[in-house]
């Protein structure tokens, strides 16, 4: 394995982080954004003032997004990012958006043509047995309605190119694999693949610190919030989300309504404010998919070796079989923990009032009208209720339960009335 101190890029290089999704990108971007001024003092530019660089890089790869009403990213978004990169005399620069990995060969060529000076591409890769269940539950937040088994069957139909609809970093539309595509355009010597390894959690931040010439541990010093941690759902949470998504879609809830009230309200708050107990289970692979994911990892590892790009970590991480989840893990129980129901409802109410998932600053949602209820000048503390305290165990876990159907119906009612917007 290459030591982190040996990864240093030459001065004037832009480090382009392309993903893949669900490989620690959110934690990395939160750290870089939170430490933007300090990084600049140390010679590293993290341009802009947003979490990542999705707008500018999306223009280069020809990406559309629901947040932009399905329109292509605007050329001026790249122009603004490009101008800041060109004007900076920082020793090194970091550009990060995890969806850039989805580009085809033409898109990669546009990226290379548009970016000035030396550019080094870094991709972060993860065992498919961990990545695919994580991607499925991530899609649940956006309203996805396919059960895990069905989605995995489609994703693993071709083991040489796992298909992840909406996050298709491993496609072969142009006849090339992910590492081959970027090595072909940028040169193998200008591409690094970092393995995401549970046994070496420091490897992600350490690799970026090494490439950028930053002191070890500086990225870890950024305050980590519930949102920046971007944890996955427990099996119980995922079971409810799948059931609710199916029910709300059948009731006519639109994608935009779901995005505003449920994804960026109820689900975001649930994931940020509660810590599931081990009794809720984890989202993992069914047993039939274990060998298929290992085979997909073997193919990717062979493509990395053939491409000649630099590797940080152990390639066998991609090929290791994972332990399957127990059968019946994704069956929705009749009742849910009260802390789960409370956070879901608070998140939906807060989003409906235009104050994000946590009764704080409203999120930027240009496709949505401003709610009639104005936000207060000072963000209040999220309300507490007695029900959150009743029946707590010594470890703080609520014993009381709420019927799952009751929560589903109440969430659905609030979404359909736009949370006080229509009376």
């Amino acid at each position: 394995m290459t030591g982190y101190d040996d990864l240093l890029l030459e001065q004037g290089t832009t480090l382009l982080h392309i993903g893949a999704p669900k490989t620690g990108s959110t934690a990395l971007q939160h750290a870089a954004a939170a430490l933007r001024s300090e990084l600049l003092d140390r010679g590293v530019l993290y341009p802009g003032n947003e979490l990542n660089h999705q707008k500018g890089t999306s223009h280069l790869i020809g990406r559309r997004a629901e947040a932009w009403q399905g329109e292509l990213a605007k050329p001026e978004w790249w122009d603004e990012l490009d101008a800041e990169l060109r004007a900076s005399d920082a020793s090194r620069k970091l550009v990060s958006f995890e969806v850039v990995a989805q580009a085809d060969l033409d898109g990669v060529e546009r990226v290379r043509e548009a970016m000035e000076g030396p550019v080094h591409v870094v991709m972060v890769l993860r065992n498919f047995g961990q990545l695919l269940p994580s991607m499925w539950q991530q899609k649940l937040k956006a309203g996805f309605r396919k059960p895990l088994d069905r989605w995995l069957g489609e994703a693993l139909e071709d083991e040489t190119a796992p298909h992840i609809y909406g996050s298709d970093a491993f496609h072969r539309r142009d006849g090339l694999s992910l590492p081959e595509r970027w090595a072909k355009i940028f040169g193998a010597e200008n591409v690094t693949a970092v393995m995401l390894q549970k046994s070496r959690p420091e490897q992600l931040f350490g690799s970026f610190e090494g490439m950028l010439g930053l002191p070890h541990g500086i990225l870890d010093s950024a305050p980590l919030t519930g949102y920046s941690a971007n944890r996955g759902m427990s099996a119980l949470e995922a079971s409810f989300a799948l059931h609710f998504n199916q029910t709300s879609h059948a009731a006519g809830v639109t994608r935009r309504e779901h995005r505003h009230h449920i994804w960026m309200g109820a689900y975001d708050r649930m994931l940020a404010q509660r810590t599931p107990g081990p009794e809720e289970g984890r989202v993992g692979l069914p047993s039939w998919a274990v060998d298929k994911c290992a085979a997909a990892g073997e193919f990717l590892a062979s493509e990395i070796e053939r491409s000649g790009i630099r590797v940080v970590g152990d390639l066998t991480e991609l090929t290791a079989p994972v332990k399957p989840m127990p059968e019946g893990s994704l069956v929705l129980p009749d009742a849910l923990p009260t802390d789960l129901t409370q956070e879901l409802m608070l998140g939906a109410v807060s989003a409906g009032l235009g104050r994000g998932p946590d009764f704080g600053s409203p999120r930027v949602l240009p496709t949505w009208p401003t709610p009639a209820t104005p936000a207060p000048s000072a963000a209040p503390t999220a309300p507490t209720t007695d029900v959150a305290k009743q029946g707590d165990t010594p470890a703080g876990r609520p014993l009381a339960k709420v019927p799952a159907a009751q929560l589903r119906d109440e969430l659905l009612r609030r979404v359909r009335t736009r949370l006080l917007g229509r009376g």
Side-chain angles (χ1 to χ4, degrees):
M1 171 186 147
T2 307
Y4 305 140
D5 292 340
D6 297 333
L7 301 177
L8 183 64
L9 303 175
E10 65 176 275
Q11 288 206 13
T13 299
T14 297
L15 180 59
L16 174 61
H17 170 224
I18 65 171
K22 298 305 291 182
T23 58
S25 304
T26 301
L28 174 70
Q29 292 160 358
H30 268 277
L35 300 171
R36 191 174 260 119
S37 295
E38 185 172 350
L39 295 187
L40 189 57
D41 290 342
R42 296 179 180 274
V44 175
L45 172 71
Y46 190 64
N49 55 17
E50 297 185 356
L51 174 65
N52 58 34
H53 306 108
Q54 69 158 317
K55 289 183 176 179
T57 57
S58 290
H59 169 67
L60 296 184
I61 64 174
R63 177 173 174 261
R64 302 175 186 269
E66 186 177 339
W68 313 324
Q69 299 182 354
E71 298 294 326
L72 286 167
K74 299 178 181 179
E76 54 263 37
W77 292 344
W78 166 249
D79 293 341
E80 182 178 350
L81 176 59
D82 184 44
E84 185 174 357
L85 290 169
R86 290 175 184 266
S88 174
D89 60 358
S91 297
R92 295 169 187 86
K93 304 157 191 177
L94 173 62
V95 173
S96 176
F97 182 43
E98 63 275 15
V99 180
V100 179
Q102 298 181 28
D104 57 16
L105 190 62
D106 289 342
V108 178
E109 288 178 334
R110 288 195 298 272
V111 172
R112 176 61 277 187
E113 291 170 1
M115 298 190 73
E116 183 185 48
V119 178
H120 192 93
V121 176
V122 58
M123 60 185 71
V124 183
L125 302 174
R126 184 181 183 187
N127 186 297
F128 284 115
Q130 300 162 356
L131 175 68
L132 293 180
S134 182
M135 282 300 311
W136 176 75
Q137 63 81 26
Q138 176 75 13
K139 293 173 74 64
L140 288 180
K141 292 197 295 184
F144 199 62
R145 304 185 303 278
K146 287 184 182 178
L148 178 60
D149 272 284
R150 180 181 168 190
W151 182 76
L152 283 172
E154 296 172 357
L156 293 168
E157 185 175 358
D158 178 2
E159 293 170 8
T160 68
H163 174 64
I164 308 172
Y165 178 75
S167 301
D168 210 5
F170 303 99
H171 69 81
R172 296 178 64 87
R173 294 190 300 268
D174 47 19
L176 299 173
S177 65
L178 174 64
E180 287 180 310
R181 186 176 304 118
W182 289 86
K184 180 178 178 68
I185 301 303
F186 281 83
E189 70 280 8
N190 295 316
V191 182
T192 294
V194 177
M195 300 300 110
L196 195 67
Q197 299 178 225
K198 284 188 175 181
S199 61
R200 298 184 63 88
E202 81 288 351
Q203 190 155 269
L204 176 63
F205 282 4
S207 299
F208 279 80
E209 290 162 348
M211 286 185 280
L212 294 169
L214 294 169
H216 178 65
I218 188 173
L219 293 176
D220 240 347
S221 71
L224 188 64
T225 67
Y227 302 111
S228 58
N230 196 25
R231 75 164 175 86
M233 293 183 185
S234 68
L236 182 145
E237 291 169 339
S239 299
F240 175 79
L242 177 64
H243 179 72
F244 180 80
N245 292 350
Q246 293 169 340
T247 304
S248 62
H249 176 76
V253 173
T254 68
R255 289 174 62 90
R256 290 182 182 178
E257 287 172 328
H258 182 98
R259 176 184 176 87
H260 183 67
H261 296 297
I262 303 303
W263 176 4
M264 295 187 170
Y267 292 164
D268 268 8
R269 183 178 178 91
M270 172 190 75
L271 293 170
Q273 298 296 332
R274 74 183 300 263
T275 301
E279 72 281 359
E280 292 187 17
R282 64 176 182 85
V283 178
L285 286 181
S287 57
W288 66 263
V290 171
D291 289 343
K292 286 182 174 290
C293 282
E298 289 175 2
F299 183 82
L300 178 58
S302 68
E303 293 297 294
I304 291 172
E305 290 181 325
R306 187 166 68 178
S307 71
I309 66 176
R310 180 170 65 175
V311 177
V312 181
D314 189 350
L315 274 179
T316 62
E317 181 73 17
L318 298 177
T319 63
V322 300
K323 183 179 179 181
M325 65 179 175
E327 290 188 19
S329 296
L330 293 175
V331 175
L332 183 67
D334 292 333
L336 301 172
T338 53
D339 71 325
L340 170 59
T341 62
Q342 174 179 272
E343 300 306 343
L344 286 168
M345 292 303 300
L346 286 173
V349 169
S350 180
L353 295 174
R355 288 151 63 184
D358 59 356
F359 294 88
S361 300
R363 292 202 171 191
V364 179
L365 292 170
T367 60
W368 277 83
T370 303
T373 305
S377 57
T381 303
T384 57
T385 62
D386 290 338
V387 71
K389 302 176 182 178
Q390 293 172 355
D392 280 3
T393 67
R397 302 288 304 161
L399 294 175
K401 300 282 186 176
V402 173
Q406 179 180 330
L407 174 61
R408 176 203 66 201
D409 293 344
E410 179 61 14
L411 271 176
L412 189 56
R413 183 188 70 79
R414 289 175 179 265
V415 172
R416 292 305 300 158
T417 58
R418 291 221 182 162
L419 297 160
L420 311 179
R422 297 190 213 138

